[in-house]
Structures are given as C-alpha cells and as structure tokens.
Amino acid sequence: MDNDGHPSVSLRASRRPDRLNNNFEIKVADGGDTFFDSDKSSSDYPIKIIWKRGFIRLLLVGGILWMLLILAVLIFHIWTCQSSLVFLSAICNKDSTVYQMLHTMGLVTPPHRCSIPLANDPEKVIIPEKKSPSKFVQSLSYFEEDDINTNESNSSPLFGGHQSWKQREESFKLKSSMKIHCGFIRNGGAEMSQKDIEYVTKCKFVVASGIFDGYDTPHQPSNVSPRSKKLFCFLMVVDEVSLQFINQNVTVKEDSDGGQWVGIWRIILLKNPPYDEPRRNGKVPKILTHRLFPQAIYSIWIDGKMELIVDPLLMLERYLWRGKNTFAIAQHKHHKNIYEEADSNKRRKRYARPLIDLHMKIYRYEGLEPWTPLKQTKSDVPEGAIIIREHTPLNNLFSCLWFNEVNLFTPRDQLSFGFVVYRLKNNFKFFMFPNCEYNSIFILHPHTREHSSKIEWVKSLNEFKGNNSGLKESRGGLGLWTPYPADLSKVVLPRVARTSKAG
C-alpha cells in the first residue's frame, strides 16, 4: 500500500524521459520537428554550452597572453633604452611614440649621451640638388627703417625697431608675401665691416658660433672631414670686447684680405652692440643667422662655449636630409612646459623674476596652454645651443618672429620658441631630436668667467623705481615696459610641478 501511494524517487526519474518523449510526439503531431531532429538538437545542446564556455575561456587566455606580450615588449624596450651597452642602446628607438610615452610616464630616463645614427662616410653623402619647396610664405622682406608713427618717443633707432602690438599680431598671420621686423634697423647697431660682408657672400654652407663680452675663446672643431672643410664656412661672430680678449689669449692670424682667423674659424666682428645685455647681443647671430649670412642655404649654429666634435655634413644628413626636415633643434633635458622653464629661470636667477612673470602672463593671455602629450610637438622647450636649418622663407620667418619675441621681452629664447610655434598654428614643422644625441655633438667648456647682471637679482618691480631705474635695459625688452593692450592683472599662471633638481 505504501509503495503504491508513494512512488519511489527512482521511478519518478525513470518517467521523466517518457514525458519528454510525449512532448516530442505532440510536436510531431502539430507539424513541428520530427522526432529524430528533436533528438539531434537535444544531444547538441550540451556541446554548444561547452563550446561557448571554451570560446570565452580562449578569449580570456588570449587576452591575458597578449597583455603579457605587450608588457614583455615594454619591459624589453625600457631595458634597451636604459642599457649602457652600445648594441642594446642602438636598438632603442628614441624617436618612437612608445619611447616618448614611457618618458612622459617617468618609466624611462634618457641617458646623458647616446650614439648618433650618422652616415658612415661624409664623402658619400648626397647633397640635395634643389632647395626644399616653400610652403605658406613665398616672399619675405624686412623693415629697414623705424616707423615714425610707432616711434612715439622719437628715440634713436633700435636694432629691433619700434614694433607696435598691432604689427606683432599681424606678423603671426601667414601670407604668401610678408614684410616684417627682423632686426638690423639702419643705425641700430651690429654692423659688419665691408671685408667681412664680401667674405660671407660666398658662404652657402655655414657653421656659425658667437662670443660676446669676452666670456669664451674659440674652440676648434674636431672630426671635420676634408669635404666639409672645403664646403663649409666656419664663422665666429664676436663683439669688440671679445675680439680684444681673443687677441690677448689665443693666436690670431690675418690673411691677405685683412680677414682674421683663429684656426678654422673666420672672425666676424659686429661693431656697436645693439643691446646693453651681452646675452641679448648673442641672440643676433644665433637666431638671425639668415640675416647675417644672406647667401647661406644651410647653417648650423653652436654656442661659443662648445667644441663641435661631429662632422657638419653628417649633421645635415642626419637631422635634415634623411627625414626631409628643414629645421632641427634638440629637446630640453628637463622641461617640456614653457611655464616650468620660466619657473626654472626665476629660481636660477636668469633674469628679473617679475619681468619673467609678466612675459608669461602675456603668453597665457594669448592662449598658450601648458605642454601635454596631446600637443603635436614633442616639447615646447628646446635646447637652443645647437640649431640646424635650411634657410627657407618659412624658416626665416620663424627665426624673425622668434627673435622679435626675444627683442620685446626677456632674452631667454627658450621661453619664446614654443610660443612662436603655437602662434603659427603648427604650420611650422621642425625635427626635435633626442637630448642625448644633442650632448654627443659637442664637448662643453666652461666660460672664462661667470656672467652676472644686476637685473637678474631683481625680485620686485619696485626695485626698478627711483635710483634703481638704471636697471632697466634701454634698448631691449621694451615690450615689458610698454602698456599691453589688455588687462593682465587677472591672468593666473598655471601651477608648475618642479620635476627635476636641475630645473
């Protein structure tokens, strides 16, 4: 009785397949799938589940393996870039986006020096037959006389001219034909003798350097090939104080035309320095190389405290012709952000602190954002001691605009470079090469004495008043004392993260 009233669990289980069969038979009667099709689908169901689970697991395992592979590649990249072995260091591509990303994240510390991928033989370097095509600007001319309307003070002519704020603003608008301020206003200073003018007219390839206020003596380049010695003019631009110092300390020879030589360097004297500040005077041959040597097609600038140890023809091949560049400059070792560089200049007393702040407020008001990896440039701050360029109209325009900023504001050219790039809306293209290559181009020599100027110690604008009014430069940086056509009092400079001790 109990067995009849309460069927066993095993009996219930044995009846379940019968119910399933009945259901399948009903489907057949209703015109559904046949019994054999239903039986086939029921047997495939567990396989589908297993297949789906396996596929998901396969995706997960594949994703993990792929991430591990990427991580391994990154670790290898970091290892090769940090290695002191030449073979491993050569594998590291310091121009790659990956390297720049790792450097930005702080995972890679660039070495102080690294090997430069130079061509093997200067004799086999092929020099381009044609100049690079000119983009945006076809014709460029310069103001040579001061505009009476802008020279309201009726002062003597200035080397950089009395450029108005409106003229400055218009100069950033690219046109096919342009006329701009670019130094060398008549009777403004920095005159060359006739014998030097005649000599430089034959110079198509130039290595230029400069010494002002007697801070250095010429350092002879090494590893210069016979071909480069014939091809290049090595021109050392000096003022009268430096020429006197050089004559007292090194051997100066004179040729039959009256030209003065120190080894391979032909001395080019600039009479009547245009500025009170020697550092500002040094920017004339450095930035306005195309104005001093108008016949030059290519030029390499190297600061006077440096000894060039790389063949100049190989430098042009590496930094210009190989990548079809027309302007090359090194990336700054510590800073990418102009506002960080400005903070560094204040900390190291490179110029009056309140004037650096005013300079940066003008740039901030005009829209300059702090550098980020989203910008199209590797950095906004260059190492300006070496500049390699082809003298195209656009490059010449850039150099003029860069110089005008140095003329109007502080003489710290590293603060103005990235701003001019920004104002030209990335139409100016340049190659910014790794800092470790930059340090492999030269041997650095100490100055003969330390440079110091009273204006560098100024901490407040009040220090320029009264008896200290003589601290102001009389012929440079006048844009810092000319009323700006906007209210800068509410401009707040971006916060600066001090990322390096050397900063």
Side-chain angles (χ1 to χ4, degrees):
M1 292 290 294
D2 294 338
N3 293 337
D4 295 338
H6 302 280
S8 65
V9 176
S10 61
L11 183 58
R12 291 177 184 173
S14 64
R15 290 179 178 176
R16 287 176 183 168
D18 295 336
R19 294 176 184 173
L20 290 172
N21 292 337
N22 291 336
N23 290 336
F24 293 149
E25 291 174 1
I26 292 171
K27 288 182 180 180
V28 171
D30 293 338
D33 296 335
T34 64
F35 172 78
F36 298 103
D37 292 338
S38 300
D39 184 62
K40 183 179 179 181
S41 62
S42 63
S43 63
D44 288 346
Y45 183 70
I47 297 175
K48 290 182 178 179
I49 294 177
I50 294 172
W51 186 86
K52 288 181 180 178
R53 290 177 179 175
F55 181 72
I56 293 172
R57 289 174 181 172
L58 183 63
L59 286 178
L60 290 174
V61 171
I64 293 172
L65 290 175
W66 182 250
M67 292 176 64
L68 289 174
L69 179 61
I70 294 174
L71 182 60
V73 171
L74 288 177
I75 292 174
F76 179 75
H77 198 78
I78 294 173
W79 181 52
T80 56
C81 292
Q82 299 294 91
S83 176
S84 59
L85 299 176
V86 176
F87 171 73
L88 292 175
S89 179
I91 297 176
C92 175
N93 181 9
K94 299 175 181 63
D95 295 331
S96 68
T97 304
V98 174
Y99 182 86
Q100 296 300 323
M101 179 186 69
L102 293 173
H103 177 40
T104 303
M105 296 169 62
L107 297 177
V108 170
T109 303
H112 181 66
R113 286 189 176 90
C114 59
S115 59
I116 306 174
L118 297 170
N120 294 324
D121 187 357
E123 300 296 331
K124 296 181 179 179
V125 171
I126 299 175
I127 299 174
E129 296 181 358
K130 298 181 180 179
K131 296 181 180 180
S132 297
S134 181
K135 297 181 179 179
F136 305 108
V137 180
Q138 307 298 326
S139 174
L140 189 64
S141 58
Y142 312 108
F143 291 106
E144 296 182 355
E145 302 281 352
D146 246 348
D147 189 344
I148 299 176
N149 295 323
T150 58
N151 187 3
E152 297 176 357
S153 63
N154 294 318
S155 63
S156 59
L158 297 176
F159 178 79
H162 291 81
Q163 185 185 28
S164 68
W165 293 113
K166 183 177 180 180
Q167 288 174 326
R168 173 177 176 268
E169 186 64 27
E170 286 297 316
S171 68
F172 293 117
K173 300 175 182 178
L174 294 181
K175 301 173 185 176
S176 178
S177 179
M178 299 182 68
K179 186 174 184 179
I180 58 172
H181 284 84
C182 195
F184 294 96
I185 293 295
R186 187 170 285 111
N187 298 322
E191 294 97 4
M192 291 171 59
S193 66
Q194 187 59 37
K195 68 176 185 293
D196 291 339
I197 293 175
E198 292 175 359
Y199 178 82
V200 302
T201 55
K202 66 180 182 180
C203 297
K204 306 296 183 184
F205 292 74
V206 169
V207 175
S209 188
I211 299 174
F212 289 84
D213 210 32
Y215 283 106
D216 303 283
T217 55
H219 304 290
Q220 297 304 311
S222 57
N223 303 313
V224 180
S225 66
R227 186 182 183 191
S228 290
K229 289 180 180 179
K230 294 179 180 178
L231 188 64
F232 284 84
C233 293
F234 291 79
L235 306 176
M236 178 65 68
V237 184
V238 301
D239 60 1
E240 292 170 303
V241 173
S242 299
L243 181 58
Q244 182 180 0
F245 180 80
I246 291 170
N247 275 305
Q248 293 172 350
N249 290 274
V250 298
T251 301
V252 179
K253 296 182 179 181
E254 187 170 314
D255 61 25
S256 58
D257 297 323
Q260 295 180 299
W261 297 78
V262 178
I264 200 172
W265 293 107
R266 172 63 154 76
I267 301 298
I268 304 295
L269 175 64
L270 288 187
K271 299 179 181 179
N272 304 318
Y275 300 108
D276 311 323
E277 175 63 38
R279 281 179 173 161
R280 205 183 288 272
N281 285 323
K283 304 306 185 253
V284 174
K286 173 180 179 176
I287 301 178
L288 299 183
T289 314
H290 68 286
R291 300 282 338 255
L292 272 178
F293 316 124
Q295 304 302 319
I297 302 174
Y298 298 98
S299 69
I300 298 172
W301 168 266
I302 180 167
D303 276 3
K305 61 186 176 181
M306 296 175 171
E307 174 190 336
L308 183 66
I309 59 174
V310 178
D311 183 84
L313 188 59
L314 294 183
M315 290 179 64
L316 291 182
E317 192 281 329
R318 158 68 179 116
Y319 296 112
L320 297 187
W321 302 331
R322 189 184 305 179
K324 296 183 179 180
N325 305 303
T326 62
F327 193 107
I329 196 166
Q331 182 176 332
H332 194 278
K333 184 174 183 179
H334 301 292
H335 302 135
K336 297 183 178 181
N337 180 351
I338 286 176
Y339 300 105
E340 288 182 3
E341 177 65 13
D343 178 71
S344 166
N345 277 257
K346 291 192 295 181
R347 291 162 62 195
R348 298 170 70 185
K349 298 179 178 62
R350 292 296 188 237
Y351 203 67
R353 298 180 188 182
L355 297 184
I356 291 178
D357 282 339
L358 178 57
H359 186 180
M360 292 299 99
K361 282 189 175 183
I362 291 173
Y363 284 1
R364 188 72 187 96
Y365 179 83
E366 295 184 6
L368 180 66
E369 297 287 345
W371 184 90
T372 70
L374 298 178
K375 285 195 173 185
Q376 297 182 20
T377 57
K378 292 182 180 179
S379 170
D380 282 343
V381 185
E383 288 281 11
I386 295 177
I387 308 172
I388 308 158
R389 55 197 150 184
E390 180 182 355
H391 293 183
T392 66
L394 182 58
N395 286 349
N396 294 344
L397 171 68
F398 177 85
S399 297
C400 292
L401 298 181
W402 186 15
F403 177 81
N404 289 343
E405 296 299 293
V406 172
N407 174 66
L408 280 174
F409 306 121
T410 69
R412 308 306 300 175
D413 54 79
Q414 290 166 318
L415 299 180
S416 304
F417 181 90
F419 173 78
V420 179
V421 173
Y422 154 72
R423 289 304 305 267
L424 293 181
K425 300 179 180 179
N426 293 312
N427 290 316
F428 172 71
K429 303 298 181 182
F430 62 99
F431 175 38
M432 183 168 272
F433 55 91
N435 184 271
C436 62
E437 288 191 26
Y438 159 82
N439 288 312
S440 298
I441 293 173
F442 61 87
I443 295 175
L444 185 64
H445 295 271
H447 291 302
T448 56
R449 57 190 173 89
E450 284 298 319
H451 177 276
S452 182
S453 174
K454 291 183 179 179
I455 196 172
E456 296 175 350
W457 297 85
V458 172
K459 297 180 181 179
S460 169
L461 288 176
N462 292 328
E463 297 181 41
F464 288 103
K465 298 179 179 178
N467 295 331
N468 292 327
S469 60
L471 289 174
K472 294 181 183 178
E473 292 185 67
S474 63
R475 293 179 287 174
L478 301 186
L480 298 168
W481 303 102
T482 304
Y484 186 74
D487 183 11
L488 300 175
S489 61
K490 297 180 181 180
V491 176
V492 178
L493 294 177
R495 294 185 62 183
V496 171
R498 295 176 176 176
T499 56
S500 65
K501 294 181 180 180

mmCIF file of all heavy atoms in Angstrom, residues 45-70:
data_model
loop_
_atom_site.group_PDB
_atom_site.id
_atom_site.type_symbol
_atom_site.label_atom_id
_atom_site.label_comp_id
_atom_site.label_asym_id
_atom_site.label_seq_id
_atom_site.Cartn_x
_atom_site.Cartn_y
_atom_site.Cartn_z
ATOM 1 N N TYR A 45 22.877 20.262 -27.541
ATOM 2 C CA TYR A 45 22.766 21.343 -26.556
ATOM 3 C C TYR A 45 23.944 21.395 -25.592
ATOM 4 O O TYR A 45 24.565 22.448 -25.404
ATOM 5 C CB TYR A 45 21.439 21.214 -25.813
ATOM 6 C CG TYR A 45 21.199 22.320 -24.826
ATOM 7 C CD1 TYR A 45 20.925 23.624 -25.265
ATOM 8 C CD2 TYR A 45 21.250 22.077 -23.460
ATOM 9 C CE1 TYR A 45 20.704 24.642 -24.356
ATOM 10 C CE2 TYR A 45 21.030 23.103 -22.549
ATOM 11 C CZ TYR A 45 20.753 24.374 -23.009
ATOM 12 O OH TYR A 45 20.550 25.387 -22.116
ATOM 13 N N PRO A 46 24.324 20.290 -24.970
ATOM 14 C CA PRO A 46 25.497 20.336 -24.076
ATOM 15 C C PRO A 46 26.779 20.709 -24.816
ATOM 16 O O PRO A 46 27.650 21.381 -24.259
ATOM 17 C CB PRO A 46 25.573 18.903 -23.529
ATOM 18 C CG PRO A 46 24.216 18.340 -23.722
ATOM 19 C CD PRO A 46 23.694 18.949 -24.974
ATOM 20 N N ILE A 47 26.906 20.299 -26.101
ATOM 21 C CA ILE A 47 28.109 20.626 -26.867
ATOM 22 C C ILE A 47 28.205 22.127 -27.094
ATOM 23 O O ILE A 47 29.291 22.720 -27.012
ATOM 24 C CB ILE A 47 28.096 19.875 -28.209
ATOM 25 C CG1 ILE A 47 28.124 18.366 -27.964
ATOM 26 C CG2 ILE A 47 29.278 20.292 -29.075
ATOM 27 C CD1 ILE A 47 27.997 17.552 -29.217
ATOM 28 N N LYS A 48 27.022 22.759 -27.384
ATOM 29 C CA LYS A 48 27.025 24.206 -27.580
ATOM 30 C C LYS A 48 27.452 24.940 -26.323
ATOM 31 O O LYS A 48 28.199 25.926 -26.377
ATOM 32 C CB LYS A 48 25.634 24.683 -28.012
ATOM 33 C CG LYS A 48 25.248 24.244 -29.419
ATOM 34 C CD LYS A 48 23.879 24.783 -29.794
ATOM 35 C CE LYS A 48 23.503 24.378 -31.219
ATOM 36 N NZ LYS A 48 22.165 24.890 -31.587
ATOM 37 N N ILE A 49 26.979 24.485 -25.181
ATOM 38 C CA ILE A 49 27.362 25.124 -23.917
ATOM 39 C C ILE A 49 28.858 24.997 -23.702
ATOM 40 O O ILE A 49 29.544 25.954 -23.349
ATOM 41 C CB ILE A 49 26.590 24.484 -22.741
ATOM 42 C CG1 ILE A 49 25.092 24.786 -22.883
ATOM 43 C CG2 ILE A 49 27.132 24.995 -21.408
ATOM 44 C CD1 ILE A 49 24.242 24.130 -21.822
ATOM 45 N N ILE A 50 29.373 23.797 -23.938
ATOM 46 C CA ILE A 50 30.812 23.571 -23.761
ATOM 47 C C ILE A 50 31.607 24.429 -24.733
ATOM 48 O O ILE A 50 32.624 25.034 -24.379
ATOM 49 C CB ILE A 50 31.143 22.068 -23.965
ATOM 50 C CG1 ILE A 50 30.493 21.226 -22.863
ATOM 51 C CG2 ILE A 50 32.644 21.854 -23.995
ATOM 52 C CD1 ILE A 50 30.600 19.731 -23.101
ATOM 53 N N TRP A 51 31.114 24.543 -25.972
ATOM 54 C CA TRP A 51 31.820 25.326 -26.989
ATOM 55 C C TRP A 51 31.846 26.807 -26.627
ATOM 56 O O TRP A 51 32.872 27.465 -26.740
ATOM 57 C CB TRP A 51 31.135 25.131 -28.334
ATOM 58 C CG TRP A 51 31.891 25.792 -29.464
ATOM 59 C CD1 TRP A 51 32.906 25.284 -30.188
ATOM 60 C CD2 TRP A 51 31.633 27.110 -29.981
ATOM 61 N NE1 TRP A 51 33.323 26.188 -31.115
ATOM 62 C CE2 TRP A 51 32.559 27.334 -31.018
ATOM 63 C CE3 TRP A 51 30.721 28.116 -29.662
ATOM 64 C CZ2 TRP A 51 32.599 28.507 -31.726
ATOM 65 C CZ3 TRP A 51 30.764 29.295 -30.374
ATOM 66 C CH2 TRP A 51 31.692 29.477 -31.391
ATOM 67 N N LYS A 52 30.701 27.330 -26.160
ATOM 68 C CA LYS A 52 30.637 28.735 -25.769
ATOM 69 C C LYS A 52 31.560 29.024 -24.594
ATOM 70 O O LYS A 52 32.301 30.002 -24.579
ATOM 71 C CB LYS A 52 29.201 29.127 -25.414
ATOM 72 C CG LYS A 52 28.281 29.218 -26.626
ATOM 73 C CD LYS A 52 26.877 29.623 -26.199
ATOM 74 C CE LYS A 52 25.953 29.716 -27.422
ATOM 75 N NZ LYS A 52 24.577 30.075 -27.009
ATOM 76 N N ARG A 53 31.515 28.137 -23.586
ATOM 77 C CA ARG A 53 32.386 28.341 -22.431
ATOM 78 C C ARG A 53 33.851 28.248 -22.832
ATOM 79 O O ARG A 53 34.699 29.031 -22.380
ATOM 80 C CB ARG A 53 32.072 27.299 -21.360
ATOM 81 C CG ARG A 53 30.718 27.512 -20.687
ATOM 82 C CD ARG A 53 30.431 26.412 -19.683
ATOM 83 N NE ARG A 53 29.152 26.627 -19.015
ATOM 84 C CZ ARG A 53 28.609 25.756 -18.156
ATOM 85 N NH1 ARG A 53 29.247 24.609 -17.882
ATOM 86 N NH2 ARG A 53 27.465 26.039 -17.593
ATOM 87 N N GLY A 54 34.165 27.336 -23.710
ATOM 88 C CA GLY A 54 35.543 27.188 -24.168
ATOM 89 C C GLY A 54 36.018 28.391 -24.961
ATOM 90 O O GLY A 54 37.175 28.828 -24.833
ATOM 91 N N PHE A 55 35.093 28.938 -25.782
ATOM 92 C CA PHE A 55 35.456 30.109 -26.583
ATOM 93 C C PHE A 55 35.730 31.318 -25.697
ATOM 94 O O PHE A 55 36.686 32.069 -25.914
ATOM 95 C CB PHE A 55 34.320 30.420 -27.566
ATOM 96 C CG PHE A 55 34.601 31.598 -28.450
ATOM 97 C CD1 PHE A 55 35.539 31.508 -29.465
ATOM 98 C CD2 PHE A 55 33.939 32.805 -28.255
ATOM 99 C CE1 PHE A 55 35.812 32.594 -30.281
ATOM 100 C CE2 PHE A 55 34.212 33.889 -29.058
ATOM 101 C CZ PHE A 55 35.145 33.787 -30.083
ATOM 102 N N ILE A 56 34.892 31.474 -24.660
ATOM 103 C CA ILE A 56 35.098 32.591 -23.729
ATOM 104 C C ILE A 56 36.421 32.442 -23.001
ATOM 105 O O ILE A 56 37.188 33.395 -22.851
ATOM 106 C CB ILE A 56 33.924 32.671 -22.723
ATOM 107 C CG1 ILE A 56 32.629 33.067 -23.466
ATOM 108 C CG2 ILE A 56 34.238 33.674 -21.615
ATOM 109 C CD1 ILE A 56 31.389 32.998 -22.609
ATOM 110 N N ARG A 57 36.687 31.200 -22.575
ATOM 111 C CA ARG A 57 37.963 30.963 -21.892
ATOM 112 C C ARG A 57 39.143 31.223 -22.825
ATOM 113 O O ARG A 57 40.167 31.774 -22.420
ATOM 114 C CB ARG A 57 38.006 29.528 -21.373
ATOM 115 C CG ARG A 57 37.077 29.287 -20.193
ATOM 116 C CD ARG A 57 37.056 27.828 -19.816
ATOM 117 N NE ARG A 57 36.141 27.581 -18.709
ATOM 118 C CZ ARG A 57 35.803 26.365 -18.268
ATOM 119 N NH1 ARG A 57 36.322 25.287 -18.868
ATOM 120 N NH2 ARG A 57 34.972 26.233 -17.262
ATOM 121 N N LEU A 58 38.966 30.837 -24.084
ATOM 122 C CA LEU A 58 40.026 31.057 -25.069
ATOM 123 C C LEU A 58 40.289 32.547 -25.258
ATOM 124 O O LEU A 58 41.444 32.987 -25.341
ATOM 125 C CB LEU A 58 39.635 30.415 -26.401
ATOM 126 C CG LEU A 58 40.694 30.497 -27.524
ATOM 127 C CD1 LEU A 58 41.948 29.740 -27.114
ATOM 128 C CD2 LEU A 58 40.123 29.925 -28.813
ATOM 129 N N LEU A 59 39.202 33.350 -25.321
ATOM 130 C CA LEU A 59 39.351 34.792 -25.446
ATOM 131 C C LEU A 59 40.078 35.380 -24.243
ATOM 132 O O LEU A 59 40.970 36.223 -24.376
ATOM 133 C CB LEU A 59 37.992 35.460 -25.604
ATOM 134 C CG LEU A 59 37.295 35.318 -26.963
ATOM 135 C CD1 LEU A 59 35.935 35.998 -26.927
ATOM 136 C CD2 LEU A 59 38.149 35.917 -28.075
ATOM 137 N N LEU A 60 39.686 34.918 -23.046
ATOM 138 C CA LEU A 60 40.318 35.432 -21.838
ATOM 139 C C LEU A 60 41.794 35.074 -21.796
ATOM 140 O O LEU A 60 42.649 35.920 -21.501
ATOM 141 C CB LEU A 60 39.606 34.888 -20.596
ATOM 142 C CG LEU A 60 38.189 35.430 -20.341
ATOM 143 C CD1 LEU A 60 37.559 34.700 -19.174
ATOM 144 C CD2 LEU A 60 38.234 36.919 -20.064
ATOM 145 N N VAL A 61 42.108 33.821 -22.104
ATOM 146 C CA VAL A 61 43.505 33.388 -22.091
ATOM 147 C C VAL A 61 44.303 34.144 -23.154
ATOM 148 O O VAL A 61 45.425 34.593 -22.910
ATOM 149 C CB VAL A 61 43.599 31.859 -22.312
ATOM 150 C CG1 VAL A 61 45.046 31.438 -22.510
ATOM 151 C CG2 VAL A 61 42.996 31.116 -21.120
ATOM 152 N N GLY A 62 43.690 34.288 -24.362
ATOM 153 C CA GLY A 62 44.364 35.028 -25.424
ATOM 154 C C GLY A 62 44.615 36.476 -25.050
ATOM 155 O O GLY A 62 45.690 37.026 -25.323
ATOM 156 N N GLY A 63 43.628 37.111 -24.403
ATOM 157 C CA GLY A 63 43.793 38.493 -23.962
ATOM 158 C C GLY A 63 44.894 38.634 -22.933
ATOM 159 O O GLY A 63 45.698 39.570 -22.984
ATOM 160 N N ILE A 64 44.938 37.699 -21.992
ATOM 161 C CA ILE A 64 45.981 37.736 -20.963
ATOM 162 C C ILE A 64 47.353 37.550 -21.595
ATOM 163 O O ILE A 64 48.309 38.251 -21.266
ATOM 164 C CB ILE A 64 45.715 36.648 -19.896
ATOM 165 C CG1 ILE A 64 44.434 36.998 -19.109
ATOM 166 C CG2 ILE A 64 46.907 36.511 -18.950
ATOM 167 C CD1 ILE A 64 43.995 35.900 -18.173
ATOM 168 N N LEU A 65 47.456 36.571 -22.524
ATOM 169 C CA LEU A 65 48.740 36.343 -23.197
ATOM 170 C C LEU A 65 49.169 37.563 -23.996
ATOM 171 O O LEU A 65 50.353 37.917 -24.029
ATOM 172 C CB LEU A 65 48.642 35.112 -24.110
ATOM 173 C CG LEU A 65 48.519 33.755 -23.400
ATOM 174 C CD1 LEU A 65 48.301 32.642 -24.421
ATOM 175 C CD2 LEU A 65 49.770 33.472 -22.564
ATOM 176 N N TRP A 66 48.192 38.221 -24.656
ATOM 177 C CA TRP A 66 48.502 39.411 -25.449
ATOM 178 C C TRP A 66 48.997 40.543 -24.554
ATOM 179 O O TRP A 66 49.967 41.243 -24.871
ATOM 180 C CB TRP A 66 47.258 39.841 -26.218
ATOM 181 C CG TRP A 66 47.474 41.033 -27.121
ATOM 182 C CD1 TRP A 66 46.995 42.284 -26.974
ATOM 183 C CD2 TRP A 66 48.250 41.057 -28.326
ATOM 184 N NE1 TRP A 66 47.403 43.095 -27.990
ATOM 185 C CE2 TRP A 66 48.189 42.370 -28.844
ATOM 186 C CE3 TRP A 66 48.995 40.086 -29.021
ATOM 187 C CZ2 TRP A 66 48.831 42.742 -30.005
ATOM 188 C CZ3 TRP A 66 49.638 40.474 -30.186
ATOM 189 C CH2 TRP A 66 49.545 41.770 -30.662
ATOM 190 N N MET A 67 48.350 40.719 -23.394
ATOM 191 C CA MET A 67 48.780 41.753 -22.457
ATOM 192 C C MET A 67 50.165 41.445 -21.909
ATOM 193 O O MET A 67 51.005 42.346 -21.751
ATOM 194 C CB MET A 67 47.767 41.887 -21.312
ATOM 195 C CG MET A 67 46.413 42.450 -21.742
ATOM 196 S SD MET A 67 45.208 42.474 -20.402
ATOM 197 C CE MET A 67 45.993 43.636 -19.289
ATOM 198 N N LEU A 68 50.418 40.165 -21.624
ATOM 199 C CA LEU A 68 51.747 39.782 -21.143
ATOM 200 C C LEU A 68 52.805 40.031 -22.205
ATOM 201 O O LEU A 68 53.928 40.453 -21.894
ATOM 202 C CB LEU A 68 51.741 38.308 -20.726
ATOM 203 C CG LEU A 68 50.959 37.968 -19.445
ATOM 204 C CD1 LEU A 68 50.922 36.469 -19.246
ATOM 205 C CD2 LEU A 68 51.586 38.656 -18.234
ATOM 206 N N LEU A 69 52.451 39.786 -23.478
ATOM 207 C CA LEU A 69 53.389 40.030 -24.569
ATOM 208 C C LEU A 69 53.710 41.518 -24.679
ATOM 209 O O LEU A 69 54.879 41.916 -24.825
ATOM 210 C CB LEU A 69 52.800 39.514 -25.885
ATOM 211 C CG LEU A 69 53.670 39.734 -27.143
ATOM 212 C CD1 LEU A 69 54.996 38.998 -26.989
ATOM 213 C CD2 LEU A 69 52.928 39.245 -28.389
ATOM 214 N N ILE A 70 52.664 42.367 -24.604
ATOM 215 C CA ILE A 70 52.870 43.812 -24.649
ATOM 216 C C ILE A 70 53.739 44.264 -23.483
ATOM 217 O O ILE A 70 54.663 45.069 -23.637
ATOM 218 C CB ILE A 70 51.521 44.561 -24.644
ATOM 219 C CG1 ILE A 70 50.740 44.267 -25.935
ATOM 220 C CG2 ILE A 70 51.725 46.059 -24.467
ATOM 221 C CD1 ILE A 70 49.346 44.857 -25.954
#
